[in-house]
Amino acid sequence: MQFGVFSIGDITPDPTTGRVPTEHERITSMVAIAKKAEEVGLDVFAMGQHHNPPFVAPANPPILMAHLAAQTSRIQLSTATTLITTTDPVRIAEDYAYAQHLAEGRIDLTLGRGNTGPVYPWFGKDIRAGIPLAVENYALLHRLWRETDVDWSGRFRTPLQGFTSTPRPLDEVPPFVWHGSIRSPEIAEQAAYYGDGFFHNNIFWNKEHTGRMIELYRSRYAHYGHGTEEQAIVGLGGQVFMRHNSQDAVREFRPYFDRAPVYGGGPSLEDFSAQTPLTVGTPEQVIERTLSFREYAGDYQRQLFLIDHAGLPLKTVLEQIDMLGEEVVPVLRREVAARAPVGTPEAPTHESLTRRRREGLDPVPGGGRADAA
């Protein structure tokens, strides 16, 4: 299993000091977080995509990905969201393939529709067409990464005639795609249809809802002949805040929780922690809670933690990453490896995808594998 952290790049006042970081500070903090994540041995750093305040998460994530690729050597660079609805699929095909070359293959992406309604008209789109946009745009992106001289006609963009996206994906192997959704079964169906991964960023949802979404994806993955339900590729979100004394963790994190733009003023910290994956406590409590996710998600491939939101200062965030890398993830790796049944798939990497392509095992949209087509 891969373990990592993700950032949505929010600019939020620190509720304990009132200080608001500058855009420059917040942008450079994301770089520092990614480098620290690699330093302590985490597997993935992922970033959101936003076009509006109060966020500085990149409007074009491949820019940050390329920058990070030059300053790291091992960590996988991903997105917490690539906006498939408001970003033209031709630009996605070109930009992410270019970043993939610069990163020597250490690139994948999570497609999503986003949660900011005004973005749609800014890019000439209608939020009411969010699902059809996601379906059609990915159908085109999928072809652009696998075919040359593409002829295309659809509902949402101008037609293409004999178009070849450049550069071609590294080794002719496209970046792995996770389809991210919190509540839309259509997106779980889309992930299953293509044999791609499904990422349920369940940071605001109870385990019953998350379990139903993952069960749907797994069953449809098997329906399309890509493998068994247990071989489907699943990722989960999560949130943690740790201190070596659980009471210290709760006391320190509470003001950040209570005033966070995304959930401040809603359920109490205790209620929210009981209903969602948020874990505020000791490293041991985080380990125990994270291991419990497999009770409703099955044996899955990627676990990402939101670590730097709600105005937390960079020093605190880096301390959290140190604790993850030194005390939490090594134990999780051992426990996951010991509990996973034989045959549980590993998280996809460029190397594993290249090997799968060489062996003729690429999934065929809507049914089976390339060697059976």
Side-chain angles (χ1 to χ4, degrees):
M1 183 191 291
Q2 293 175 333
F3 296 94
V5 294
F6 71 98
S7 174
I8 58 173
D10 61 309
I11 297 180
T12 303
D14 185 329
T16 67
T17 65
R19 187 178 185 280
V20 183
T22 67
E23 289 184 327
H24 179 72
E25 288 172 333
R26 197 67 178 91
I27 289 169
T28 56
S29 75
M30 293 176 71
V31 176
I33 290 166
K35 293 168 71 174
K36 170 62 77 170
E38 174 167 278
E39 175 189 321
V40 303
L42 300 186
D43 303 304
V44 184
F45 174 75
M47 64 214 74
Q49 178 182 351
H50 283 282
H51 297 271
N52 56 294
F55 301 99
V56 294
N60 187 7
I63 293 175
L64 180 54
M65 286 177 150
H67 179 72
L68 292 175
Q71 300 193 46
T72 59
S73 60
R74 182 193 58 79
I75 198 163
Q76 186 81 3
L77 303 171
S78 188
T79 58
T81 304
T82 296
L83 296 176
I84 187 64
T85 48
T86 53
T87 308
D88 186 82
V90 172
R91 289 302 308 272
I92 294 176
E94 294 174 338
D95 291 349
Y96 283 87
Y98 204 102
Q100 183 198 32
H101 280 270
L102 294 175
E104 299 292 342
R106 292 184 290 125
I107 293 286
D108 60 51
L109 64 161
T110 303
L111 299 180
R113 291 176 291 138
N115 58 6
T116 308
V119 170
Y120 281 78
W122 294 345
F123 292 90
K125 307 300 180 183
D126 186 338
I127 193 172
R128 293 170 294 184
I131 293 290
L133 274 164
V135 171
E136 181 177 297
N137 282 353
Y138 183 60
L140 175 55
L141 174 62
H142 190 272
R143 288 188 60 192
L144 290 173
W145 271 340
R146 291 164 176 81
E147 303 175 28
T148 58
D149 301 314
V150 173
D151 293 329
W152 170 266
S153 179
R155 173 182 169 190
F156 297 108
R157 77 171 323 278
T158 53
L160 298 172
Q161 293 184 339
F163 180 80
T164 297
S165 173
T166 59
R168 304 304 299 155
L170 179 65
D171 302 320
E172 294 295 322
V173 177
F176 186 77
V177 169
W178 303 81
H179 298 258
S181 180
I182 298 174
R183 61 186 180 274
S184 301
E186 297 92 339
I187 302 303
E189 175 78 17
Q190 183 183 39
Y193 176 84
Y194 286 98
D196 294 335
F198 179 64
F199 190 88
H200 194 271
N201 196 6
N202 53 322
I203 58 176
F204 299 119
W205 291 85
N206 59 51
K207 62 184 181 181
E208 291 79 12
H209 172 81
T210 301
R212 286 192 296 270
M213 289 288 287
I214 292 173
E215 182 181 4
L216 170 64
Y217 161 68
R218 288 186 183 278
S219 66
R220 299 303 289 171
Y221 183 95
H223 167 81
Y224 287 117
H226 300 305
T228 66
E229 293 187 14
E230 293 75 19
Q231 290 172 322
I233 307 299
V234 173
L236 287 181
Q239 296 173 276
V240 297
F241 187 86
M242 295 173 287
R243 291 300 183 211
H244 289 107
N245 180 293
S246 61
Q247 294 165 330
D248 291 340
V250 171
R251 181 170 56 252
E252 185 175 346
F253 187 68
R254 188 181 299 280
Y256 295 94
F257 177 89
D258 287 347
R259 301 181 194 177
V262 290
Y263 41 49
S268 68
L269 173 59
E270 288 74 16
D271 287 345
F272 195 84
S273 298
Q275 295 164 11
T276 77
L278 173 64
T279 308
V280 181
T282 65
E284 292 76 18
Q285 288 173 310
V286 169
I287 291 166
E288 181 180 4
R289 186 77 181 282
T290 304
L291 288 173
S292 74
F293 295 167
R294 64 193 295 273
E295 295 172 5
Y296 57 87
D299 291 283
Y300 59 108
Q301 283 65 45
R302 175 173 286 186
Q303 174 66 59
L304 299 184
F305 298 105
L306 177 61
I307 203 87
D308 72 329
H309 60 119
L312 287 165
L314 178 60
K315 177 178 180 294
T316 301
V317 173
L318 297 181
E319 291 170 352
Q320 295 295 304
I321 295 174
D322 275 328
M323 295 176 80
L324 277 175
E326 295 169 6
E327 302 180 53
V328 174
V329 168
V331 178
L332 287 175
R333 284 199 180 109
R334 290 197 301 270
E335 291 296 324
V336 167
R339 302 179 189 199
V342 175
T344 299
E346 296 295 323
T349 63
H350 183 73
E351 290 73 20
S352 68
L353 295 174
T354 301
R355 184 170 59 252
R356 186 172 72 175
R357 177 182 176 84
R358 187 168 56 245
E359 296 171 355
L361 299 178
D362 286 342
V364 174
R369 303 189 308 249
D371 63 348

